[in-house]
Amino acid sequence: MNLSRFLIFSIALFASTCARTTVHPAFNVIVLGAGGGLDESNLSCYLISPFNDNRFIALDAGTIFSGIQKAELAGSFSDVKRSELQGLALAPWLMKRGIKAYLISHAHFDHTSGMIINSPDDGNKVIFGLQNTIDDLRDHVFNGKSWINFGNEGEGAISRYRLVRANPRVPFEIQDTPFRVTAFPLSHSNRGSTAFLIESNGQFALYFGDTGPDIIEKSTNMQQVWNAVAPIVREQRLRGIFLEVSYPDGKPDNQLSSHLTPKWFMRELHDLAQTVNPAEQASALKSIRVIVTHIKPSHDPAINPRRLIQDQLAAQNDLNLDFIFAEQGQRFHL
Ligand SMILES: [Zn+2]
Ligand SMILES: [Zn+2]
């Protein structure tokens, strides 16, 4: 290579490095709840909006109000201007106006209890989920017995929430937002769970509700999600993957109750890397941020599951994954 060709090559390499590191954020995420149990004030709920846009959707709804309080204290809603609040305080504004829809992965209470408890003060909105999830909410929650029927089906329905059954793998638009969402079934306990692929302006985020690994579940549900997203990973349009790690490694596989540990989490992401680029797995996922969710706290003060999981994932991270360990109240961009 002569000097001028070397210079051109160097400039091109420098420009492409700059382009990679200055990628404009596509999504804003605010964590209202990150845990997978025990602490009822910190259960799965992630608000996501397009970057520089305060139209949110909630990914699961385990904790709403205490999460808004913590996020407000942390300054995570500083982008919401006073003039936008139309005279309301932040929490009622979010519930009545800011959050446009709930996407519920499954009806377990650690993913729904914040929505249920806050429903008397909530604004009208849509609840999206796969058929089992919506049927379970209708039959066991909003049924006029366990709770007032805030849904729009069955006896005494007061229609605060419009229950919408998503067809698996068919994108649907979310009203009043720029989002298109595709739901994928997952294996989790006897009623299943859901992964939501969220698109805005040609960019994507992928949120997994609770899930067991394909091998233990004797399923191909995870692999089917990986097959669906591999093309957008190659095009560097998948910005983030929210995936659960409920327990540290060491818990026997037959006691995982359809959840992941660091070992199984890495195994699943290896399957994605293999699907995206079998020849170069170690760099196949380098453009994606991986958000670790649903860590279950322990009663035992001598055990810190979060620290254990951080250490175990760091030790197994041969895919060079860029982890975010979700924390209640925090805001980050994807
Ligand atoms: Zn669950
Ligand atoms: Zn859960």
Side-chain angles (χ1 to χ4, degrees):
M1 193 184 290
N2 64 32
L3 183 63
S4 65
R5 285 187 61 179
F6 174 75
L7 279 173
I8 290 166
F9 173 78
S10 305
I11 290 164
L13 186 69
F14 178 71
S16 77
T17 308
C18 289
R20 279 279 302 113
T21 51
T22 56
V23 171
H24 197 269
F27 300 101
N28 191 20
V29 177
I30 298 171
V31 182
L32 296 191
L38 204 62
D39 178 358
E40 68 271 23
S41 71
N42 184 10
L43 298 168
S44 295
C45 181
Y46 300 84
L47 296 188
I48 185 166
S49 70
F51 189 66
N52 280 340
D53 185 328
N54 289 321
R55 288 172 293 173
F56 296 97
I57 55 175
L59 306 169
D60 280 327
T63 295
I64 305 280
F65 186 70
S66 9
I68 294 173
Q69 286 183 309
K70 291 214 178 84
E72 187 175 16
L73 274 177
S76 295
F77 286 108
S78 56
D79 287 354
V80 180
K81 301 283 172 296
R82 189 174 283 270
S83 56
E84 229 173 313
L85 298 177
Q86 298 160 305
L88 295 170
L90 179 70
W93 175 81
L94 275 166
M95 287 195 247
K96 291 181 194 304
R97 312 264 162 81
I99 302 171
K100 306 295 186 186
Y102 297 118
L103 272 53
I104 304 295
S105 65
H106 63 307
H108 282 169
F109 290 157
D110 57 320
H111 299 256
T112 56
S113 60
M115 171 181 75
I116 299 164
I117 291 300
N118 284 287
S119 54
D121 298 293
D122 209 351
N124 290 356
K125 50 177 76 73
V126 168
I127 303 177
F128 285 101
L130 289 175
Q131 173 149 5
N132 277 357
T133 306
I134 299 297
D135 287 354
D136 290 345
L137 290 174
R138 177 196 62 195
D139 296 343
H140 305 298
V141 176
F142 299 124
N143 58 6
K145 296 175 188 140
S146 316
W147 198 244
I148 299 153
N149 186 354
F150 283 101
N152 62 338
E153 297 178 14
E155 207 179 317
I158 61 171
S159 297
R160 173 150 304 164
Y161 300 130
R162 190 157 62 83
L163 304 177
V164 177
R165 290 163 182 79
N167 290 317
R169 300 181 196 86
V170 179
F172 53 87
E173 315 273 337
I174 299 192
Q175 227 179 313
D176 302 328
T177 77
F179 287 120
R180 259 158 68 93
V181 176
T182 311
F184 296 87
L186 297 174
S187 304
H188 175 64
S189 72
N190 57 350
R191 295 293 284 162
S193 168
T194 313
F196 294 109
L197 180 64
I198 299 134
E199 180 196 355
S200 166
N201 203 19
Q203 302 296 311
F204 294 82
L206 177 61
Y207 175 81
F208 283 87
D210 297 355
T211 181
D214 274 354
I215 292 177
I216 294 184
E217 300 293 326
K218 298 180 176 51
S219 159
T220 58
N221 281 333
M222 294 289 287
Q223 185 60 52
Q224 289 186 53
V225 179
W226 301 145
N227 293 344
V229 301
I232 57 172
V233 176
R234 287 186 206 110
E235 294 161 6
Q236 303 201 344
R237 294 195 290 147
L238 183 61
R239 301 301 192 96
I241 299 175
F242 298 73
L243 187 57
E244 70 134 286
V245 178
S246 293
Y247 308 108
D249 283 327
K251 201 174 174 71
D253 286 346
N254 62 5
Q255 291 174 24
L256 295 184
S257 317
S258 293
H259 288 294
L260 302 178
T261 64
K263 175 185 80 173
W264 290 109
F265 177 98
M266 290 305 301
R267 183 92 157 234
E268 287 299 338
L269 287 163
H270 265 280
D271 287 348
L272 173 60
Q274 162 80 24
T275 310
V276 169
N277 187 351
E280 285 182 49
Q281 289 189 47
S283 61
L285 310 183
K286 65 179 188 308
S287 62
I288 305 172
R289 307 197 78 185
V290 181
I291 301 100
V292 179
T293 66
H294 206 266
I295 294 175
K296 287 194 181 248
S298 168
H299 268 304
D300 184 344
I303 296 173
N304 183 338
R306 191 181 167 88
R307 176 132 358 113
L308 270 173
I309 287 169
Q310 283 176 342
D311 291 348
Q312 291 171 351
L313 281 176
Q316 297 175 61
N317 186 10
D318 55 353
L319 293 173
N320 300 303
L321 300 172
D322 179 10
F323 293 123
I324 297 174
F325 290 87
E327 203 161 335
Q328 188 176 38
Q330 86 181 125
R331 176 174 71 163
F332 55 83
H333 301 142
L334 298 175

